[in-house]
Amino acid sequence: LPVVASLCGGPVHLPRAVAVLAVGCAVGVCGCRNYEARPMEWPAEASAWQAVSAEVPLRTLKDAETLALVANPDINRQRFKALRGTEEAKEAGWWEDPELNLDLLRILKADDYPNLFGGSLAFTVPLSGIPGLEARAAKLYAENEVQSVRAAERRLRVDVRAAAIRWAAAIRREELLRATLEDAAVTNAFACATRLFGVGEVDEMDLSAARRRRHERSHALRNAVLATTEAKTAFCRLLGVSPTAHVSLPTDVWAENAPPAVALPEELTRHEAVLAALARLAGTESAFQAEIRRQYPNLTVGPAYEREDGLNRIGLVAGLTLPLWNRNRKGIARSETERDLARLDALEVWKGLVWDSVAAARRYRQLSAHAKPEGMNRATADRLHEMGELSDIAYLAICDEIAEAKLEEITWREQLLVARNELAYYTIEK
């Protein structure tokens, strides 16, 4: 106000109406939200993470699923994004803020009433109903985020079970290879074959083959130990626990259960991934309608005040946009493209689920048709070796074949359980 007074060449008294508008504007500004910084406190975050996940007793796969749904960082990030989308949807649909205009003029070389005042407050009345369409689109986009979280939770449960199965299979391979290398009967037979080679009773090629197989087993054990560590790490990362957490393998990982029923193609339209895509499509439809409505005129109306020649004047200001050549052509074209792409995405998501569900069911059926291993078992080989019917070299070769068959059985069982577990992603609750 002092600056205005100096420009006018003397003291200026603002009219009461303008003063009231200025006060209202100041109150509105004071009601705005203030900025608050949230710096990262690494020691506190690290301490809380390690404290929460120090001991993780997992009795069943259900416990592992529950922990992953709570602590997995990726799913929590999606939940936070969905929460923010819901909060944004609550704030969508507001009218445009009113616009305050103030005019101050001075008539040069005038003795009486040289100062002219004017002010108006304009409100935009959305006759086209755009705020309502924007609010509806925001709610549908928020629903898209919610359904995406549910689809991600379903995927996470399947991935956690698959990671547990792979960890269990890696443990069994390591245990089998370690037991094979530490087997007393096999070690004694190998030592006996070495002594017989010294007196010329065993061929050098046969002994070399036995040594090579044993060396390969030691390398396989080293790789199995590494695979077990990596499988456990992958499982723990899915759970969201710290690297120092003590995590136990669920006891029901290797259990045989009936496979879940895969949904039919028409039932997969109720899958969370499809529902998320459909919600996004509905949101783009509302956004497209809003862009269409933007080419229609909006009304701007509000009170006005002027003071001229010592007289006060009040009135009404009104404005109307005229869709002559712009007509929001660019916004309409962009929104229509997004709507058509969202429709294509929803269709492709459903087609992808149908393809993947058929492939998963086919893979499980093929793995289920598995013949039991044939050949001599370990008890028979031990008995024949003790009776002298099997030489040390032949006994070592048979033991290697039996160990290889057991390793193949572990791999087959792992693939079968993972394939059965994958079917759960394509089941729909009745």
Side-chain angles (χ1 to χ4, degrees):
L1 292 182
V3 175
V4 174
S6 64
L7 291 175
C8 295
V12 176
H13 302 285
L14 289 178
R16 294 182 179 179
V18 178
V20 170
L21 292 177
V23 172
C25 182
V27 171
V29 172
C30 293
C32 294
R33 181 172 176 177
N34 297 325
Y35 168 75
E36 295 180 3
R38 294 189 62 185
M40 185 66 71
E41 298 179 359
W42 292 111
E45 295 292 341
S47 178
W49 186 32
Q50 294 176 358
V52 171
S53 56
E55 286 288 342
V56 186
L58 301 177
R59 294 184 297 274
T60 64
L61 284 171
K62 191 67 176 178
D63 295 339
E65 291 179 9
T66 303
L67 177 59
L69 291 174
V70 172
N72 182 269
D74 294 332
I75 200 69
N76 284 330
R77 186 177 185 277
Q78 293 192 41
R79 288 194 184 113
F80 181 79
K81 185 178 179 181
L83 178 62
R84 297 310 304 167
T86 303
E87 294 297 326
E88 291 176 7
K90 292 179 181 179
E91 302 300 333
W94 286 87
W95 287 15
E96 295 292 335
D97 289 332
E99 182 179 353
L100 176 64
N101 297 313
L102 295 177
D103 298 327
L104 176 60
L105 300 175
R106 178 180 176 84
I107 301 176
L108 300 178
K109 296 182 180 180
D111 295 333
D112 299 332
Y113 309 108
N115 299 321
L116 304 179
F117 304 99
S120 65
L121 184 64
F123 296 88
T124 301
V125 182
L127 301 178
S128 56
I130 292 177
L133 290 172
E134 289 179 340
R136 184 171 182 271
K139 291 180 181 178
L140 290 170
Y141 287 142
E143 178 64 19
N144 164 256
E145 297 291 346
V146 172
Q147 293 295 343
S148 297
V149 169
R150 292 174 180 171
E153 289 176 346
R154 178 191 284 259
R155 182 75 260 176
L156 178 61
R157 288 194 292 267
V158 173
D159 291 344
V160 166
R161 287 177 174 267
I165 292 170
R166 294 188 178 98
W167 184 19
I171 291 176
R172 281 163 172 75
R173 290 192 193 93
E174 179 184 347
E175 292 176 346
L176 176 60
L177 290 169
R178 194 181 303 279
T180 300
L181 289 174
E182 297 176 356
D183 191 312
V186 173
T187 302
N188 292 334
F190 188 81
C192 184
T194 303
R195 290 194 298 269
L196 292 176
F197 169 74
V199 295
E201 296 293 332
V202 173
D203 187 71
E204 183 178 2
M205 294 182 60
D206 294 337
L207 183 60
S208 297
R211 287 174 175 173
R212 184 173 59 254
R213 289 194 300 268
R214 190 170 182 82
H215 183 70
E216 291 174 353
R217 286 284 181 266
S218 64
H219 277 282
L221 176 60
R222 184 185 60 188
N223 294 333
V225 172
L226 179 60
T228 301
T229 303
E230 293 176 348
K232 181 180 180 180
T233 300
F235 179 68
C236 293
R237 285 181 69 92
L238 282 176
L239 297 184
V241 299
S242 68
T244 58
H246 300 285
V247 180
S248 59
L249 183 69
T251 57
D252 58 343
V253 175
W254 216 243
E256 293 185 5
N257 297 314
V262 177
L264 299 174
E266 56 271 17
E267 294 176 338
L268 286 174
T269 56
R270 294 186 284 112
H271 194 279
E272 292 87 348
V274 177
L275 294 179
L278 292 177
R280 179 174 176 268
L281 173 59
T284 57
E285 288 282 4
S286 294
F288 182 44
Q289 292 179 14
E291 294 298 330
I292 292 290
R293 297 283 183 88
R294 290 187 194 281
Q295 64 183 330
Y296 303 148
N298 279 334
L299 176 64
T300 302
V301 64
Y305 170 84
E306 288 186 0
R307 181 176 179 82
E308 185 177 358
D309 295 336
L311 299 176
N312 297 324
R313 299 185 179 94
I314 60 173
L316 186 69
V317 295
L320 195 66
T321 57
L322 299 178
L324 296 180
W325 46 77
N326 188 339
R327 298 181 184 177
N328 195 30
R329 298 175 190 271
K330 180 179 179 180
I332 291 174
R334 181 179 61 251
S335 183
E336 186 176 12
T337 301
E338 292 177 355
R339 189 273 306 269
D340 294 341
L341 284 176
R343 186 181 186 280
L344 180 62
D345 290 342
L347 186 61
E348 292 302 323
V349 167
W350 173 72
K351 289 181 179 180
L353 286 174
V354 173
W355 264 107
D356 293 341
S357 64
V358 172
R362 184 181 298 134
R363 176 177 175 78
Y364 179 77
R365 287 196 302 269
Q366 292 174 349
L367 288 171
S368 299
H370 175 70
K372 294 183 178 180
E374 298 180 358
M376 187 180 300
N377 56 40
R378 180 61 185 272
T380 303
D382 290 342
R383 186 175 66 256
L384 293 176
H385 181 245
E386 292 175 357
M387 294 171 57
E389 299 293 332
L390 281 178
S391 64
D392 295 323
I393 294 297
Y395 176 70
L396 291 174
I398 291 176
C399 288
D400 287 334
E401 292 177 359
I402 294 173
E404 189 65 30
K406 289 182 178 180
L407 288 173
E408 292 177 355
E409 282 293 305
I410 292 175
T411 300
W412 165 78
R413 184 70 176 277
E414 175 190 7
Q415 294 175 347
L416 179 67
L417 294 180
V418 170
R420 185 193 67 188
N421 173 68
E422 184 66 20
L423 297 179
Y425 186 70
Y426 308 102
T427 59
I428 303 297
E429 298 293 336
K430 301 297 184 180

